[in-house]
């Protein structure tokens, strides 16, 4: 029985496919940057192919010319986005982080991060009272003030190495106290930090601003730059939504319950949010490198893509190439349609959300639009991630009508996006939502955020394997 199964063309094709998928997974696991470049390259080619076919069939444009036009439009757009949006998005992210911090309860034991220091510096330098005291030339120099202050405080936040003599003495005492134990581990660290000095801060600011303003700003920076503070706007929000005739004891209990819940949420957010936001500048630099190699890869792969499609079936034994070709063709069609659908819907949702936020008088329309576009690249799971900052932004206004209107608009937008997705995927295989969630969870654990994005394409490949290989074998009667 087992020998008969091994001889089946479908089973042999499935084995070879699983072997190649394992190689791909191993390559993706070695280097995240390499994985992103490969995935981005194939994504760009999958977007270009329908355009090339359309241009060839209806516009009578040669394939090479249509590919050149498509590549130019895609990468020119990406370069313009990176060049012109990086700075304003970074500033909006910094200010929005301040809103997040001001909304949640104050936690005295919280340790400040460099991103929070940078956010405090940005807030101090954008104060309207300060700007009124500055000349046009001094206002233009505020970016340099910001950069120098952030560099200064970044150095301050680095731990100071412990003194070697003191460390040796401490280790000797520790060894003496643990000499009766044979199994112990000593972890050495340092939490000591150099404190900011007024003269050093004032020396930085005085290079760009007049002495009077420099003196007051330096004092303000010394007092607030490294202060973890919150305006606790959650109290006003709870008070706004709480019934006025509520019993005082029940009111206090409600406040305490909400506070404890928000502290738990805050702890979860603050574990990764500052770290992620701190990495934005390095991510921008990496994005340039990824973009360069993606451009090179997409140019060559798109030009030779038809030859590649003809060559890939030759990775399978000759006697099973017919089965493999059917599987590969069907899989590529479904992947291409999914990639085009999810990218278009993400762009549409991102643009609409940005416009809605701006139209409703809320700040950070650009940041919220980009966040919505990015999170919608992750089906189902990405929608709640999109809602969190939007709802938090609306709730911070303490306007119940605005919150309800925003939720209704978002519900309509995503209902329309879901219908549009069904229209795009009509006639193609769709994945069960439960399977999508499971795949995103598993892939996210293995490859992080990148894994969550590639989870659905991988699920499509597995479903095509089931349809072409395993399901027909299980349905055979002999």
């Amino acid at each position: 029985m087992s020998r008969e199964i091994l001889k089946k063309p479908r089973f042999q094709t499935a084995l070879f496919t699983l072997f190649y998928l394992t190689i791909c997974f191993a390559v993706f696991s070695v280097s995240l940057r390499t994985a992103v470049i490969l995935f981005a390259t194939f994504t760009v080619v999958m977007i270009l192919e329908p355009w090339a076919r359309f241009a060839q069939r209806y516009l009578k444009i040669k394939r090479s010319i249509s590919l050149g036009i498509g590549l130019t439009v895609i990468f020119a757009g990406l370069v313009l986005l990176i060049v012109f949006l990086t700075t304003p998005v970074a500033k909006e992210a910094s200010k929005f982080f301040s809103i997040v911090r001001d909304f949640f309860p104050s936690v005295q034991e919280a340790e400040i991060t460099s991103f929070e220091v940078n956010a405090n510096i940005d807030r101090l330098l954008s104060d309207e009272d300060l700007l009124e005291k500055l000349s046009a030339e001094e206002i233009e120099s505020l970016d340099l003030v910001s950069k120098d202050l952030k560099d200064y405080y970044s150095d301050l936040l680095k731990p100071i190495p412990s003194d070697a003599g003191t460390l040796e003495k401490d280790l000797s005492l520790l060894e003496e106290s643990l000499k009766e134990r044979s199994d112990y581990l000593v972890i050495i660290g340092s939490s000591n930090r150099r404190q900011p000095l007024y003269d050093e801060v004032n020396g930085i600011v005085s290079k760009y601003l007049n002495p009077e303003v420099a003196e007051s700003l330096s004092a303000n920076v010394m007092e607030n730059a490294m202060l973890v503070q919150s305006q606790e706007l959650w109290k006003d929000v709870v008070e706004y939504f709480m019934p006025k005739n509520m019993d005082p004891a029940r009111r206090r209990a409600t406040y305490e319950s909400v506070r404890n819940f928000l502290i738990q949420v805050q702890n979860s957010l603050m574990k990764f949010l500052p770290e992620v936001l701190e990495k934005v500048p390095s991510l921008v630099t990496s994005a340039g490198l990824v973009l360069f190699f993606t451009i090179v890869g997409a140019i060559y792969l798109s030009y030779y893509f038809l030859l590649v499609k003809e060559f890939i079936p030759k990775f399978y034994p000759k006697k099973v190439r017919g089965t493999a070709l059917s599987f590969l063709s069907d899989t590529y069609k479904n992947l291409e349609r999914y990639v085009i659908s999810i990218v278009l819907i993400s762009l549409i949702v991102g643009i609409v959300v940005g416009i809605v936020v701006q139209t409703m008088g809320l700040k950070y329309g650009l940041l919220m639009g980009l966040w919505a576009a990015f999170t919608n690249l992750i089906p189902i799971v990405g929608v709640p991630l999109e809602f969190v900052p939007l709802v938090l932004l609306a709730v911070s206004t303490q306007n119940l009508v605005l919150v309800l209107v925003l939720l209704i608009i978002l519900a309509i937008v995503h209902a329309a996006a879901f219908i549009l997705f069904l229209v795009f995927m009509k006639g193609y295989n769709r994945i069960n939502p439960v399977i999508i969630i499971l795949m995103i969870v598993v892939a996210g654990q293995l490859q992080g955020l990148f894994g969550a994005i590639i989870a659905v394409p991988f699920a499509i490949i597995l479903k095509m394997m089931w349809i072409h290989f395993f399901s027909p074998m299980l349905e055979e009667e002999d």
Side-chain angles (χ1 to χ4, degrees), residues 198-211:
Y198 174 81
D199 290 340
E200 294 177 345
V201 173
N202 190 48
I204 293 172
V205 179
S206 298
K207 291 190 298 184
Y208 305 99
L209 307 182
N210 65 76

Side-chain angles (χ1 to χ4, degrees), residues 88-90 92-97 99-100 273 277 346-359 362-376 382-383 385-394 396 406 410 414:
V89 168
E92 287 196 2
S94 176
K95 293 177 181 178
F96 181 74
F97 182 82
I99 286 183
V100 175
L273 189 57
L277 293 174
S346 296
L347 290 174
I348 293 170
V349 172
I351 292 171
V352 172
V353 167
I355 293 173
V356 167
V357 169
Q358 204 69 29
T359 304
L362 296 170
K363 297 180 180 179
Y364 317 115
L366 181 60
L367 180 65
M368 294 298 108
L370 287 174
W371 175 251
F374 177 73
T375 52
N376 275 271
V383 176
L385 295 177
E386 173 199 338
F387 273 53
V388 171
L390 286 166
V391 172
L392 182 60
L393 183 62
S396 66
L406 179 64
L410 289 176
H414 282 282

